[in-house]
Amino acid sequence: MDIMTYCIAVSLKDGLVLTSDSRTNAGIDNVSIYGKMHAFETAPDRKIVVLSAGNLATTQAVIDQVKRDRKDHVETNLDSVRYLSEAAEYIGKISVEKQRRYLDAGGQNSFNPTATFILAGQIRNDTHAAYLIYPEGNFITTSTQTPYLQIGENKYGKPVLDRFLRIDTPLQEAGRCCLISMDSTMRSNASVGAPVELLIYHTDSFILDEYYCFQEDNEYLIKLRRMWHEKLKEVFIGLPHFSTQEARPLPNS
Amino acid sequence: MDIMTYCIAVSLKDGLVLTSDSRTNAGIDNVSIYGKMHAFETAPDRKIVVLSAGNLATTQAVIDQVKRDRKDHVETNLDSVRYLSEAAEYIGKISVEKQRRYLDAGGQNSFNPTATFILAGQIRNDTHAAYLIYPEGNFITTSTQTPYLQIGENKYGKPVLDRFLRIDTPLQEAGRCCLISMDSTMRSNASVGAPVELLIYHTDSFILDEYYCFQEDNEYLIKLRRMWHEKLKEVFIGLPHFSTQEARPLPNS
């Protein structure tokens, strides 16, 4: 799978923080902007959001199927599932079906229809949660020690999440942490790009009204990344030096 | 290739900074300590250091062959090459031969003999330089804009190199930058570990006497990583908040 996306889901005591970039490419000469954060119309007792990475045709086919299943009152759909993990299983099943269909069609050897999803939300009295759904349809959730999930280009932005996210981190603070993680990733991988979408969900609220879409030239985002960079540089310059007195010759191998 | 190493070579105006971890594994249940920084005995008009990542049998076979070629006065050896790029070509050729020999032997399907090297040093009046040698034997060098090369687990530690390394960064400062980059990598990937080796080479000096080997419990290393973490946390806490007044509802897909 071409790595060309970066999405994070953080599941904390107070609720959820979801972040995604918006760059999609079919080769380096075909770059487009597609949102990867999908909210669904559902019964009022639930809120479900999906983040997607991987083959765009597959992710669009999955999102579309999920919407149609609900409209067609198919037995399993986003309104009929009783648990969030059931919703993850349901989306995993659709994802596998869609990938398989287009693989079976033959075509180029290098064709890769795989897709990875994060599903997050809350159903009724259950606590909010987030699931990472692999291309094989299986899935994992967060833990108290590791309260986040990532899909796509995950490595550049991981150290900052490991450093600052704790299960009791306030949602605003976690949001800033995700924006910093996204910034590190966009600096190091040109195929991850703005606008950056950010959603904050307060547990038991059952509303998705704290959504932000930061464009590339967003004043706040520019200020945040400049300040982070400058302050980091200050810290770096102030680090203790290693003593050259401990130096010795490098022995030959 | 299992990613189980992290090495950096920085080539700056004033000289070279080389850094490597020392963990090697053959499966997660078989972890050992092996230095990955190799200096060679050569004629006094040159200094050549090699960093290695990948299959341990291959890297040891390559290092050994290089030493034997010089002792046996083989036509191409580290003393006969006139340019550092010629040395990179020579090591690339040996690496391909060693990999091929053990691949041809048959064996397990999952067997992966590939290895990647960084070669750095200086020969006579040429400026110092560093080369990354791929398993295929081809190689690349640094540029003014990207004055560093990495092998192994490169992503966690890349953002900090991108932020702080410039072609005119002093060597000590670059050394601290590499130690921070190594720290981020060791935090996120358990298969990269101490001791951390660091070599500073001042251009035209033709001596390798500024070498450090930091053990896991090294006082300076502990102080450096604690200070970096605490100061980063302070900066993070002081970052500007995004205004919730800009929040809006997330539209359905």
Side-chain angles (χ1 to χ4, degrees):
Chain A
M1 178 173 50
D2 288 341
I3 290 175
M4 52 187 177
T5 289
Y6 182 41
C7 303
I8 318 162
V10 189
S11 183
L12 302 169
K13 249 181 20 201
D14 295 347
L16 297 162
V17 178
L18 309 180
T19 316
S20 58
D21 86 307
S22 304
R23 197 159 290 177
T24 297
N25 72 64
I28 195 69
D29 55 348
N30 187 357
V31 175
S32 313
I33 291 175
Y34 278 94
K36 293 159 195 172
M37 189 179 287
H38 314 278
F40 296 93
E41 212 182 323
T42 56
D45 70 342
R46 62 196 61 204
K47 285 293 168 196
I48 294 175
V49 180
V50 167
L51 307 175
S52 56
N55 184 286
L56 185 60
T58 300
T59 64
Q60 289 190 350
V62 170
I63 302 298
D64 191 57
Q65 186 70 51
V66 168
K67 289 196 284 190
R68 278 161 51 182
D69 283 355
R70 182 173 175 271
K71 280 188 193 148
D72 293 345
H73 304 290
V74 171
E75 194 181 341
T76 304
N77 68 59
L78 283 192
D79 275 354
S80 74
V81 295
R82 291 163 307 152
Y83 307 102
L84 211 59
S85 57
E86 210 182 333
E89 205 179 317
Y90 159 66
I91 287 187
K93 199 164 152 265
I94 297 178
S95 172
V96 169
E97 281 167 15
K98 297 298 178 192
Q99 292 171 56
R100 199 169 287 158
R101 176 184 310 186
Y102 296 104
L103 260 184
D104 290 348
Q108 298 174 64
N109 258 339
S110 63
F111 171 62
N112 182 350
T114 60
T116 310
F117 297 88
I118 284 174
L119 178 140
Q122 186 174 19
I123 296 182
R124 268 177 240 147
N125 305 324
D126 270 0
T127 54
H128 62 273
Y131 292 90
L132 190 165
I133 306 163
Y134 294 105
E136 293 76 10
N138 56 344
F139 48 89
I140 60 168
T141 187
T142 59
S143 74
T144 307
Q145 284 71 36
T146 307
Y148 66 86
L149 300 166
Q150 301 167 290
I151 54 176
E153 176 61 281
N154 61 308
K155 288 194 172 184
Y156 298 124
K158 185 171 184 289
V160 81
L161 302 178
D162 286 334
R163 275 187 202 280
F164 302 132
L165 289 181
R166 301 290 173 266
I167 192 73
D168 55 358
T169 301
L171 298 181
Q172 244 267 355
E173 195 176 313
R176 294 196 299 279
C177 186
C178 290
L179 292 178
I180 293 295
S181 174
M182 186 62 77
D183 176 48
S184 298
T185 308
M186 294 197 296
R187 268 175 196 269
S188 292
N189 183 334
S191 75
V192 175
V196 175
E197 295 182 276
L198 175 67
L199 178 74
I200 294 191
Y201 174 76
H202 298 265
T203 195
D204 298 333
S205 69
F206 295 97
I207 40 170
L208 302 179
D209 66 348
E210 205 173 329
Y211 166 76
Y212 305 84
C213 184
F214 298 104
Q215 301 295 326
E216 190 143 24
D217 60 352
N218 178 276
E219 225 171 277
Y220 170 73
L221 214 58
I222 290 173
K223 192 170 138 197
L224 186 78
R225 67 193 310 183
R226 191 170 46 211
M227 196 161 154
W228 178 246
H229 183 70
E230 282 167 9
K231 294 282 182 188
L232 238 60
K233 179 91 191 168
E234 275 174 36
V235 171
F236 175 67
I237 293 297
L239 286 176
H241 293 215
F242 44 90
S243 160
T244 50
Q245 288 186 339
E246 282 182 43
R248 49 191 169 101
L250 172 61
N252 288 328
S253 268
Chain B
M1 179 172 50
D2 289 341
I3 290 175
M4 51 188 177
T5 289
Y6 181 40
C7 304
I8 320 162
V10 189
S11 182
L12 302 170
K13 249 181 19 201
D14 295 347
L16 297 162
V17 178
L18 308 180
T19 317
S20 58
D21 86 308
S22 305
R23 198 159 290 176
T24 298
N25 73 65
I28 195 70
D29 55 348
N30 187 357
V31 174
S32 312
I33 292 175
Y34 279 94
K36 293 158 194 173
M37 188 179 288
H38 313 279
F40 296 93
E41 210 183 323
T42 56
D45 70 342
R46 62 196 59 204
K47 284 294 167 196
I48 294 176
V49 179
V50 166
L51 308 175
S52 56
N55 184 286
L56 184 62
T58 300
T59 61
Q60 288 190 351
V62 170
I63 301 299
D64 190 56
Q65 186 69 54
V66 168
K67 290 196 283 190
R68 280 161 51 182
D69 282 356
R70 181 171 173 273
K71 281 189 193 147
D72 293 344
H73 304 291
V74 171
E75 193 181 343
T76 303
N77 69 58
L78 282 192
D79 276 352
S80 74
V81 295
R82 290 164 308 154
Y83 306 103
L84 211 59
S85 58
E86 210 182 330
E89 206 180 316
Y90 160 65
I91 286 186
K93 199 164 153 265
I94 295 178
S95 172
V96 169
E97 281 167 16
K98 298 297 178 193
Q99 292 172 56
R100 199 168 290 156
R101 174 184 311 186
Y102 296 104
L103 259 183
D104 290 349
Q108 296 176 66
N109 258 339
S110 63
F111 171 63
N112 182 352
T114 60
T116 310
F117 297 88
I118 284 174
L119 177 140
Q122 184 174 20
I123 296 183
R124 266 177 242 147
N125 304 323
D126 270 1
T127 54
H128 61 273
Y131 291 91
L132 190 165
I133 305 163
Y134 294 105
E136 293 78 9
N138 56 344
F139 49 89
I140 60 168
T141 187
T142 58
S143 74
T144 308
Q145 285 72 38
T146 309
Y148 66 86
L149 300 165
Q150 302 167 290
I151 55 176
E153 177 59 282
N154 61 308
K155 288 195 173 185
Y156 298 124
K158 185 171 184 288
V160 80
L161 302 179
D162 285 336
R163 276 187 202 281
F164 301 132
L165 289 181
R166 301 291 172 265
I167 193 73
D168 55 358
T169 301
L171 298 182
Q172 243 269 355
E173 195 176 314
R176 294 195 299 277
C177 185
C178 290
L179 292 178
I180 293 294
S181 174
M182 186 62 77
D183 177 49
S184 298
T185 307
M186 294 196 298
R187 268 174 195 270
S188 292
N189 184 334
S191 76
V192 175
V196 175
E197 295 181 275
L198 174 67
L199 177 74
I200 294 191
Y201 174 75
H202 298 265
T203 195
D204 298 333
S205 69
F206 294 96
I207 40 170
L208 303 179
D209 66 347
E210 206 172 328
Y211 165 77
Y212 305 84
C213 184
F214 299 104
Q215 301 296 325
E216 190 142 24
D217 60 352
N218 178 278
E219 226 172 275
Y220 170 73
L221 214 58
I222 289 174
K223 193 169 139 195
L224 186 79
R225 65 193 310 181
R226 191 170 47 211
M227 196 160 155
W228 179 246
H229 182 71
E230 281 167 9
K231 294 281 181 188
L232 237 62
K233 179 91 192 169
E234 275 175 34
V235 171
F236 176 68
I237 293 298
L239 286 176
H241 293 214
F242 45 90
S243 161
T244 51
Q245 288 187 340
E246 283 182 42
R248 51 192 168 95
L250 172 61
N252 287 328
S253 272

